[in-house]
Every structure is written in C-alpha cells, then in structure tokens.
Amino acid sequence: MATLTPSNSPKVVRRRVSTRRRAGSHLPPNNSQESHDAALYAIRGFLKGHTSYDAFPVSFRLIVLDTKLNVKKALQCLLLNGVVSAPLWNSETSKFAGMLTVLDIIHLIQYYYHTSNYDYAATDVETFRLESLRDIEKELGVATPPLLREHPSSTLYDASKLLIQTHARRLPLLDSDTETGHEVIVSVLTQYRLLKFISINCHKEVQQLHLSLRKLKIGTYVHNSSPGSVSEGHNPYYPIATASLNTPVFDVVHMFSERAISAVPIIDEEGVVVNLYETVDVITLVRLGAYQSLDLTIAEALTQRSPDFPGVVVCTASDSLGTLLQLIKKRRVHRLVVVEGEEEEKKGGKKGRLLGIITLSDVLRYVIGESGIGEGIEREEQKTEEVGSL
C-alpha cells in the first residue's frame, strides 16, 4: 500500500545576516487559518480566470463510441485504450448521447445475474447495443444519469460547480460546427484532470493548505469509532460499504450498483484495511468472459487482477489537504482510504483500521467552496451514501 506522507523538508542553506530593516509582511502567517483561507480564495480566483481549454493536456486522444456498437466491443475498446469511460454518439441524429462508464457495465452485470443464466448473458452481450443500456437502468430502478455538457470556453470554476451539483465524475465538453451546426465532442474534463491542473499551477497556494483533513471534514467517516461495540447485524463501519476477503464478488457488485460507488475497502476481522476492490476489477472479469467468476470470493478474484493495479493509497485524518493535492500531482489517485494512525492508537484505536474514505468529489467540493470558507463541506449526517468515485 502507498501511504500519503508529507514531502521531505528542503535543505537549509545558511546565508549572511542582513543589517537592513525589512518591511513588514502583509501576508498572513504560514500556518494560520487565515493563510489557509487566503489560499482557497486564490485557487478559486485562478479557476475563474481560466477556461476548460486551458486544462487540456498538450497531447491527448478522445475515444467516442457509437450507440449502435455492442457492449462487448465497446468494453474491449475501453480496456485496450486504457480508459474507463467514453462519450456516446448517436450517428442517426448526429448528437451527443451521454457517457458510457464502468457503472453502466456494473448495472448490466447485475441485470443478467438476476434475470438469466451465465450462458445467456455471455451470448447476449455479443449483440446487446449501447443504446439499450438506459432500458436496463429502468429495469433495475436506478437513476438515469443526467445528459451533462459544457462548452470548452466555460471557466473551470463553472465546470467544477456543475460537477459538484450533479455528483458527476466527468464532464463532456461540446462545441458546435459553424458550417453544419452539428454538435462536436471536443474532450472530457474529469475531476482528476481538474485537481491535477490546480496542483500544478497553484503550487504556492497548495502549500498553504496545511489544515488537516479531520479539521476540514473532507471525506466520509465511520460514525462509530469503536466497531467492536456495535451490536450484531449492524454495519460497524456505516456509512461506508466494506467487504472481507471471503465476500463473494457479486455482493460487492451489488454495492457498486446500489450505492453508485466505484470502490469498496477490503478489511480483516479487526477492521484493518488489507486491500480495495474496484469496479475496474469486475470489468476485467467480464472482458475475459468469466461471468461465473462473480461467485468467487474477493480473495480468489484478486488473483486475476491486472498487474497494472497502482495499489491502495492510504492516509490518516491528520494529513493535510495540501499534501493530498501534492500527491495528485505526482500519481494518478482517484480515492484515498483513511485509516487510524498514531493519534487514534493513543486513544485505544487500532493502527491501520478503516476510519473513512476520501474521493475526488469530496476534495473538489471543498476546494470550490460548497460551504463557507473555514467550515466543513457538509454536515456528517448528510453524507451517508456518497462514498464512491471515478
């Protein structure tokens, strides 16, 4: 597992003491609430002064899938290109038709698991078209994702607000052809791309975000800090969905679909985090045609995990927001599992035990400012379901 830790302190360089009197600084002290808030204001101002175009990488490729394409070929296309989502295009109307995400495939798996056998599922996926995915959602009773879009010239601040308000993890950017008037899919802005853009371009401000994740109330945390005291039949890690190495894969698939989340912490009998099972792991099984593998335990399924899995990134509630953003700049992170550290251990806790989970949605919501500066992003009781990310 990777651990979120502050970067090493810079080497101290001694210099001659000046006898000149220095002017008083107008900046707030480095480790104060005031300096933290000032950094947030500066970051928001930066986002208001830049457009979505500015966040585009120098070179990128855009995978767009026709709604007439069958699911299996679409899935192979995603995996071969190393992406987990793609815009959909209706070639009959020449219009944008939404996004294909891993969660769509999870819904499809759950539908087949409940309504047919493995052989039928394997055969039907060969012919099942992307345009029929919304019918599956209606059958399962899950909410249809909104048809979001934004213009590339919109400010990053406005794009961020739209992501937050709709609980979306990615935002398609559309323009129009001046000659035909048809829609043109330009790119897709993800939460990760947006936060990485901030961490790269607001380096000084990020360093000022020194307050702890616990104080800022970023993330979703276990309501009861003493899992052993919870009565039998109740989830001691509520509202976070958890599983053990002995949990069947399909039970976790059901959690993905029901809660619209993309990862579940795997814990041992003491609540210590030992791994993380993600929607991408399930997709790998489906691509291999191993539908019956959904009856395997998590421990058995993990042996078939892709060797490209980056590992589980853990942190403690005492780590700072700035350190988290610096990590996003260095590696591709979609979520962090918060575990009990030395501070909790001193109070009788267990080092490494699950304490919470932080998604990119949580981080973006705080940075953009859903609530007032200096306050927690939401009241704890309002955050019982949103624990997933992409």
Side-chain angles (χ1 to χ4, degrees):
M1 291 188 188
T3 305
L4 177 60
T5 55
S7 57
N8 294 329
S9 300
K11 185 177 180 180
V12 177
V13 179
R14 296 185 180 278
R15 60 182 181 180
R16 296 175 61 186
V17 179
S18 173
T19 57
R20 296 178 59 188
R21 298 189 64 179
R22 297 178 181 272
S25 174
H26 296 288
L27 294 175
N30 286 339
N31 294 323
S32 66
Q33 175 77 54
E34 186 181 4
S35 66
H36 179 94
D37 294 349
L40 278 181
Y41 276 121
I43 290 173
R44 293 169 190 173
F46 172 81
L47 294 177
K48 291 175 182 178
H50 290 77
T51 69
S52 298
Y53 270 125
D54 296 327
F56 287 8
V58 175
S59 176
F60 70 95
R61 56 185 170 180
L62 180 65
I63 309 298
V64 180
L65 303 175
D66 194 294
T67 53
K68 296 295 182 183
L69 195 65
N70 68 55
V71 170
K72 187 172 183 180
K73 288 184 178 179
L75 194 53
Q76 289 174 338
C77 182
L78 292 182
L79 293 171
L80 287 173
N81 287 279
V83 295
V84 295
S85 64
L88 297 176
W89 183 257
N90 188 324
S91 54
E92 293 181 348
T93 61
S94 295
K95 287 187 176 182
F96 169 66
M99 294 287 297
L100 173 68
T101 68
V102 174
L103 192 57
D104 291 319
I105 308 301
I106 293 295
H107 290 328
L108 185 61
I109 292 171
Q110 190 178 28
Y111 172 77
Y112 280 131
Y113 197 91
H114 283 308
T115 62
S116 60
N117 57 44
Y118 296 128
D119 294 333
Y120 178 78
T123 301
D124 201 33
V125 166
E126 297 284 349
T127 58
F128 191 91
R129 292 182 174 181
L130 296 176
E131 61 186 355
S132 301
L133 284 173
R134 299 300 169 245
D135 296 330
I136 295 297
E137 291 168 346
K138 292 178 182 178
E139 288 286 339
L140 292 174
V142 298
T144 300
L147 202 63
L148 297 179
R149 67 185 68 196
E150 188 62 276
H151 194 276
S153 62
S154 63
T155 69
L156 285 172
Y157 186 79
D158 288 339
S160 300
K161 286 177 63 178
L162 185 57
L163 284 170
I164 292 169
Q165 291 165 0
T166 58
H167 304 287
R169 297 168 188 143
R170 55 193 63 83
L171 180 62
L173 302 174
L174 273 65
D175 204 341
S176 59
D177 189 309
T178 55
E179 294 184 0
T180 65
H182 290 166
E183 294 177 332
V184 178
I185 303 173
V186 179
S187 187
V188 177
L189 180 66
T190 64
Q191 294 175 339
Y192 172 76
R193 167 60 56 186
L194 211 162
L195 289 171
K196 185 174 182 179
F197 186 73
I198 292 173
S199 63
I200 291 174
N201 294 281
C202 300
H203 179 69
K204 185 181 296 184
E205 289 78 10
V206 166
Q207 289 183 323
Q208 294 291 319
L209 300 177
H210 52 79
L211 297 182
S212 71
L213 299 169
R214 176 188 283 108
K215 182 174 183 178
L216 300 176
K217 299 180 182 178
I218 297 176
T220 301
Y221 293 87
V222 175
H223 281 187
N224 191 310
S225 58
S226 302
S229 64
V230 179
S231 60
E232 187 176 352
H234 291 78
N235 176 14
Y237 302 99
Y238 177 83
I240 300 173
T242 62
S244 71
L245 290 171
N246 295 321
T247 302
V249 170
F250 184 73
D251 287 358
V252 179
V253 170
H254 180 69
M255 297 177 196
F256 290 153
S257 181
E258 184 182 52
R259 293 183 173 223
I261 58 178
S262 59
V264 169
I266 308 302
I267 58 177
D268 64 14
E269 61 277 1
E270 293 185 284
V272 174
V273 178
V274 297
N275 217 312
L276 193 70
Y277 199 71
E278 304 179 344
T279 49
V280 177
D281 295 315
V282 181
I283 300 308
T284 301
L285 297 179
V286 175
R287 183 176 68 90
L288 297 173
Y291 298 92
Q292 62 271 30
S293 296
L294 298 182
D295 284 333
L296 296 177
T297 64
I298 293 295
E300 294 168 328
L302 287 175
T303 63
Q304 303 183 48
R305 169 176 270 171
S306 169
D308 298 330
F309 179 68
V312 183
V313 181
V314 299
C315 68
T316 67
S318 59
D319 285 316
S320 71
L321 173 59
T323 305
L324 190 156
L325 287 171
Q326 288 171 10
L327 178 68
I328 289 176
K329 181 171 66 174
K330 297 176 182 177
R331 60 180 292 179
R332 196 172 189 85
V333 178
H334 292 290
R335 67 195 63 79
L336 294 95
V337 180
V338 186
V339 298
E340 294 184 7
E342 294 181 359
E343 188 173 331
E344 288 78 19
E345 192 176 23
K346 292 176 182 177
K347 300 177 181 178
K350 176 74 175 178
K351 196 170 184 179
R353 179 189 287 157
L354 178 64
L355 185 61
I357 192 164
I358 296 174
T359 68
L360 296 189
S361 297
D362 297 325
V363 179
L364 184 62
R365 186 181 296 110
Y366 178 79
V367 171
I368 295 304
E370 186 176 71
S371 62
I373 279 188
E375 300 176 9
I377 53 174
E378 282 188 28
R379 293 185 181 276
E380 196 73 23
E381 62 268 20
Q382 293 176 335
K383 303 186 60 184
T384 58
E385 291 298 330
E386 190 183 345
V387 295
S389 100
L390 171 309

